[in-house]
Amino acid sequence: MLLDGLSSSHPISQEVERATDIDRVFDWIAYKKGAALIRMLANVMGQSLFQKGLNDYLLSHMYGNAARDDLWSKLSQAMRSEGRDIDIGGMMDRWTLQMGYPVITISKNQSEQLFTHYITVSQEHFLYGQEVRNNYSSLWQVPLTVAVGNASTVGLETLIWINNRTETHRIGAMDDKTWLLGNINQTGYFRVNYDLQNWKLLIQQLHDNHQTISVGNRAGLIDDTFNLAR
């Protein structure tokens, strides 16, 4: 994600007009980011459903040519076969036709209802260097997984779709001692930031009993923290 966080990055999908363009197009970003996006998509769909769509795609275009839209179409068909109407092409075009990736900021807000909490989620283009970050207005369709935790346990993850610059979502009952954790197991190709109070709760949790948060999620917190601070 380091190279893709620079203003010199480029989208995965690019037009090739000359043979000399091939070396430019198939670089680290194309291969590494491409693999990360496929992992994110497989996690959203579920491994078995993703495998079904991929098999249909390979069988349909065996011994022939295919484009990215052909893959998205077969994966969307696999989703619809299970009653899940998600436009895979519309989602993935945001990730493959735009450079870079977003940083998702999660803030916990208590509503007027005593036992119900909402979170405010915002996205912006993540770039190293604040002076260039504001020059980009890209938006992504982000499959954000969120879990609520406390001193002894982490709850089941919830999938939230983020499509706009800022959104509010209902999570459920929380109190002042519960914390939020986003991008569970680092399956999403984006960074996560939190409001200051949530960071303090996470730090306290790691200090008191770090094993409550899994190794993968602890690694994600460290990675996001260091890169957000750059």
Side-chain angles (χ1 to χ4, degrees):
M1 298 177 76
L2 177 62
L3 293 179
D4 204 24
L6 302 175
S7 58
S8 58
S9 181
H10 61 78
I12 288 181
S13 297
Q14 299 183 83
E15 295 295 329
V16 175
E17 298 179 356
R18 297 179 299 273
T20 54
D21 292 337
I22 295 177
D23 288 338
R24 173 181 59 82
V25 171
F26 292 100
D27 59 2
W28 184 95
I29 292 176
Y31 284 106
K32 299 294 186 180
K33 181 178 181 179
L37 293 182
I38 290 296
R39 177 175 180 259
M40 179 175 70
L41 179 56
N43 184 72
V44 170
M45 295 181 63
Q47 292 295 331
S48 60
L49 204 55
F50 175 78
Q51 191 69 48
K52 178 181 183 301
L54 189 60
N55 287 341
D56 290 344
Y57 165 76
L58 293 174
L59 290 173
S60 296
H61 299 283
M62 184 169 48
Y63 307 122
N65 298 320
R68 64 174 180 272
D69 288 340
D70 297 317
L71 175 59
W72 307 148
S73 176
K74 288 299 181 182
L75 293 176
S76 293
Q77 289 178 23
M79 294 288 281
R80 287 193 294 270
S81 70
E82 296 293 326
R84 299 170 61 189
D85 190 12
I86 297 178
D87 181 8
I88 299 296
M91 168 195 169
M92 294 305 294
D93 280 351
R94 298 284 188 95
W95 293 94
T96 59
L97 301 180
Q98 297 183 132
M99 61 170 278
Y101 54 88
V103 53
I104 304 299
T105 301
I106 305 173
S107 301
K108 185 172 70 173
N109 300 317
Q110 185 172 1
S111 73
E112 296 179 355
Q113 302 176 27
L114 182 60
F115 297 109
T116 303
H117 282 68
Y118 291 80
I119 60 171
T120 298
V121 184
S122 61
Q123 63 166 298
E124 68 172 329
H125 192 156
F126 178 86
L127 286 170
Y128 295 106
Q130 184 65 44
E131 69 279 1
V132 296
R133 185 175 302 176
N134 295 329
N135 294 332
Y136 295 87
S137 58
S138 303
L139 286 175
W140 289 263
Q141 291 185 16
V142 181
L144 174 65
T145 49
V146 181
V148 179
N150 55 38
S152 59
T153 186
V154 180
L156 296 176
E157 65 184 70
T158 300
L159 176 62
I160 300 172
W161 285 97
I162 309 301
N163 299 299
N164 302 302
R165 185 74 59 194
T166 302
E167 299 181 10
T168 300
H169 292 269
R170 181 174 178 173
I171 291 297
M174 294 188 292
D175 57 42
D176 293 337
K177 295 182 180 180
T178 55
W179 37 262
L180 292 163
L181 192 63
N183 196 15
I184 306 303
N185 295 320
Q186 307 303 295
T187 56
Y189 188 75
F190 48 86
R191 300 204 179 279
V192 179
N193 196 6
Y194 304 94
D195 63 86
L196 182 58
Q197 181 60 26
N198 198 76
W199 275 119
K200 290 180 178 179
L201 290 170
L202 286 170
I203 292 170
Q204 188 64 46
Q205 180 64 56
L206 293 172
H207 181 269
D208 294 342
N209 182 11
H210 65 275
Q211 292 183 343
T212 300
I213 301 175
S214 68
V215 173
N217 286 316
R218 295 202 303 268
L221 285 171
I222 294 171
D223 184 54
D224 284 341
T225 301
F226 273 86
N227 282 278
L228 289 168
R230 290 181 61 148

